[in-house]
Amino acid sequence: MLSARSSYALASRALFAHLPATSTTMSPTFQPHRLSSTSSKQPPKKHLVTHEEGVHQTMQLSKNWRNKPLFRRQGDVRFKSGLEASKLLIAESNRRDAHEIEYIESITSTMECLSPLFDRNPRYAFVAKQLMEPERFVQFRVAWTDDNGVTRLNRGFRIQYSSALGPYEGPLHLGAHVNGGLIKALGFDNVFSNGLTGYDVGSSVGGSDFNPFDKSETEVQRFCQSYMTELAKYVGPDLDHPTMGMGVSEREMGYLHGQYKRINVKSTSSGVPFMTRKDSHVPGHAVVLFAKEMLKDRNQSLMGKRCLILGSGKNARSVAAKLLEFGAIPLTFSDESGHVYEPNGIDESKLKTISNIKEERGAMLGRYVISSTTAKFNEPGSIFDIPCDLCFPCGKIKTVDTDAVTKLADNGCMGVIEGGHKQVTLEGRHVLKSRGVMYGPHIVTLTGANIVHGHGHNLSNEDLESEVKRIYNDVKIAATEFNARGDLFAGGSMVGFLRVANAMLSHGAV
């Protein structure tokens, strides 16, 4: 049987389903109107962002909310258009958090996409102002002992950004690059990513500036146990559900879950295991299924497509495995040591060899060239100089910048589909759009973990593909509705924001 989340998701399949692609009217709560084509008298359609009907349905609403000050810091600050409202919100985030670069970038890119919503219903600008501040942000000390008996210290984080739709849920990230600003940015992005899936889950993100790749197995275990000792005060089956993220594999999740069970009695809810390590391949498979849907819109398929894969973690290898199922040709993997390139493609046996290497903690990809007579290591010097049809960045954040996008486009790349968080820089997205290269943003493509949890870990391949199609169609139609056809980042931001904002409006000032 499907869980409550699955039932909700199945009910939300109807989102936009009965509206033509060029329609400019939709229901405020995303419930389609079933209109009979044979009826001579059809009820007027309701607008997407208001409950009123008729041609001038937003006039009174606009008048009321546009007369209210968005900010009252040094005199009343009002806005006349949605674009002006988005600029005011961006300016406010810069005033308060200018030092958090990643967070400012997330706010800027998202608010620019939401400006058409603020035009149609100015009240949403006030909700966006409320949403810019997380509900709770916890930072704590993580003390652990290394193999030499020396006490080591790291910073631990957990941001519980929004519970408007349900209990918090989000990944844990480990790495030297993790800081408070990045966690805040990822938490903000996760609000929209979790919201657009249609499941009743909130948004949270956590992690630490601990690098697990240059530590021994016992050191990683000690760190995870120390980290969870403090984190357990804020997470739980019905409160906050951590999932795997950057630098967190099945082994780290196992250590974290083991410590949680040691200090807590309850570790499951409604039959759904807490912090489970099952179905860790699904997020990577979902990334490929989104790429399949994007290509379908261009009357193409994955068959025979030559694909660059950046990174070599669990998600990157899951992407490669799913690409092989569809007849695509993975060409590369990469890590801190460089990249390996197989000119004739990486088949299942080569993928298994790479997986065996990377499952050993601290092992580098360079070892792979010993087992392959055709592999090239760090040739050419830049992985982006390799001709390809598709690129799947699954590594560190901001891997794909403007220079990388330019090289990819010059070499005939059709699309960049993110298999990791914030892989493409803000400037890189603009270049992708100007060069006509498809872009699959992480807020859309990395919804696989939510799909798994929403189905109670009883997810078949058919269910996964069906859910991916539903989410993709919701995003695509929303983008078309707001004059951003083909912009999946804009469409995903709008769908996710509207679902969260409509819930927040019913909660009042909380």
Side-chain angles (χ1 to χ4, degrees):
M1 293 181 64
L2 295 179
S3 67
R5 297 185 179 190
S6 302
S7 301
Y8 180 85
L10 293 174
S12 69
R13 291 175 186 272
L15 176 65
F16 307 126
H18 298 274
L19 296 175
T22 58
S23 172
T24 59
T25 55
M26 286 186 274
S27 160
T29 55
F30 297 100
Q31 299 301 320
H33 291 269
R34 301 181 180 275
L35 302 180
S36 172
S37 58
T38 59
S39 174
S40 58
K41 292 184 178 180
Q42 297 180 348
K45 295 180 182 179
K46 291 185 178 180
H47 196 274
L48 174 63
V49 291
T50 75
H51 292 275
E52 300 171 334
E53 297 178 352
V55 176
H56 303 291
Q57 68 267 28
T58 60
M59 289 184 65
Q60 186 65 36
L61 187 64
S62 298
K63 182 178 179 181
N64 290 341
W65 283 95
R66 288 187 200 279
N67 288 337
K68 295 183 179 182
L70 185 59
F71 296 105
R72 309 194 72 175
R73 189 171 58 255
Q74 293 177 349
D76 292 351
V77 180
R78 295 177 172 84
F79 60 92
K80 296 181 180 179
S81 67
L83 182 60
E84 187 177 350
S86 65
K87 289 181 178 180
L88 288 173
L89 293 167
I90 294 169
E92 177 67 9
S93 64
N94 272 285
R95 184 189 70 83
R96 294 187 307 179
D97 304 303
H99 60 288
E100 297 175 340
I101 299 174
E102 294 88 358
Y103 174 67
I104 296 299
E105 290 178 352
S106 292
I107 290 287
T108 301
S109 57
T110 302
M111 293 305 164
E112 288 175 350
C113 294
L114 297 181
S115 59
L117 281 177
F118 304 153
D119 268 325
R120 294 196 184 187
N121 189 338
R123 188 177 186 184
Y124 282 123
F126 294 82
V127 180
K129 178 182 70 172
Q130 188 176 339
L131 190 59
M132 289 198 311
E133 191 67 27
E135 295 178 7
R136 186 180 297 109
F137 194 176
V138 181
Q139 177 177 319
F140 50 90
R141 179 179 65 198
V142 183
W144 55 280
T145 305
D146 64 17
D147 291 340
N148 295 321
V150 178
T151 300
R152 306 278 290 272
L153 295 176
N154 288 97
R155 285 180 176 176
F157 307 95
R158 189 65 176 177
I159 186 168
Q160 295 172 333
Y161 211 103
S162 172
S163 59
L165 294 177
Y168 303 106
E169 182 174 319
L172 295 172
H173 304 296
L174 298 180
H177 63 287
V178 175
N179 55 50
L182 177 61
I183 292 295
K184 192 174 181 180
L186 294 174
F188 180 76
D189 290 344
N190 205 37
V191 173
F192 305 94
S193 184
N194 288 6
L196 68 87
T197 61
Y199 302 119
D200 52 343
V201 292
S203 168
S204 61
V205 171
S208 174
D209 57 354
F210 172 84
N211 182 9
F213 299 109
D214 60 358
K215 307 295 189 301
S216 70
E217 200 68 30
T218 54
E219 288 176 331
V220 172
Q221 180 175 342
R222 292 190 205 108
F223 167 82
C224 289
Q225 290 174 344
S226 179
Y227 177 77
M228 179 51 72
T229 299
E230 179 66 21
L231 185 67
K233 300 174 183 177
Y234 311 101
V235 302
D238 296 317
L239 174 62
D240 188 351
H241 186 98
T243 59
M244 285 185 284
M246 296 179 287
V248 179
S249 67
E250 295 176 353
R251 279 182 290 186
E252 283 81 7
M253 286 297 287
Y255 296 146
L256 292 166
H257 188 205
Q259 182 68 2
Y260 182 87
K261 289 198 303 177
R262 174 187 288 179
I263 56 182
N264 286 277
V265 176
K266 183 179 180 181
S267 60
T268 62
S269 177
S270 302
V272 179
F274 179 61
M275 295 182 66
T276 181
R277 297 175 293 159
K278 293 182 179 180
D279 303 317
S280 60
H281 61 280
V282 171
H285 289 186
V287 171
V288 178
L289 291 173
F290 277 109
K292 178 186 174 185
E293 294 299 316
M294 294 169 67
L295 287 172
K296 189 184 298 183
D297 284 344
R298 295 195 175 192
N299 297 319
Q300 298 197 39
S301 70
L302 285 166
M303 178 64 68
K305 294 292 186 296
R306 295 172 62 83
C307 304
L308 289 187
I309 299 178
L310 311 182
S312 54
K314 178 65 177 179
N315 217 39
R317 302 196 301 271
S318 298
V319 167
K322 197 65 175 179
L323 286 172
L324 289 171
E325 288 185 23
F326 287 112
I329 306 171
L331 298 174
T332 63
F333 283 106
S334 66
D335 63 9
E336 293 82 356
S337 66
H339 64 270
V340 293
Y341 169 40
E342 284 281 5
N344 297 323
I346 297 172
D347 57 22
E348 291 184 3
S349 62
K350 294 177 180 178
L351 177 59
K352 184 177 181 179
T353 301
I354 292 174
S355 295
N356 290 337
I357 293 173
K358 295 304 296 183
E359 285 174 2
E360 181 180 339
R361 190 174 299 281
M364 295 297 176
L365 271 176
R367 286 172 46 183
Y368 171 73
V369 297
I370 301 174
S371 60
S372 174
T373 58
T374 58
K376 297 181 179 181
F377 184 65
N378 289 340
E379 294 181 26
S382 171
I383 193 172
F384 300 107
D385 288 329
I386 300 172
C388 66
D389 299 308
L390 296 171
C391 178
F392 292 86
C394 307
K396 293 182 178 180
I397 65 170
K398 296 184 178 181
T399 305
V400 184
D401 55 15
T402 54
D403 292 337
V405 171
T406 301
K407 288 181 179 180
L408 289 170
D410 290 343
N411 289 330
C413 182
M414 299 171 54
V416 176
I417 296 89
E418 289 184 315
H421 297 272
K422 301 179 79 69
Q423 299 290 296
V424 183
T425 63
L426 184 59
E427 297 78 11
R429 292 183 203 167
H430 296 155
V431 178
L432 285 171
K433 190 173 183 178
S434 65
R435 295 294 298 268
V437 179
M438 296 186 302
Y439 173 51
H442 66 277
I443 66 168
V444 177
T445 59
L446 293 182
T447 52
N450 277 338
I451 294 175
V452 172
H453 197 213
H455 282 253
H457 301 277
N458 297 314
L459 185 69
S460 66
N461 290 333
E462 293 76 16
D463 290 336
L464 176 61
E465 189 161 359
S466 175
E467 290 295 273
V468 166
K469 286 180 179 179
R470 175 184 62 81
I471 294 170
Y472 179 75
N473 286 332
D474 291 352
V475 170
K476 184 175 66 173
I477 294 175
T480 303
E481 159 72 9
F482 289 94
N483 300 320
R485 184 185 296 271
D487 190 340
L488 299 183
F489 183 83
S493 298
M494 291 173 185
V495 174
F497 175 78
L498 281 169
R499 283 182 173 143
V500 174
N502 287 333
M504 291 176 66
L505 288 173
S506 67
H507 297 164
V510 295

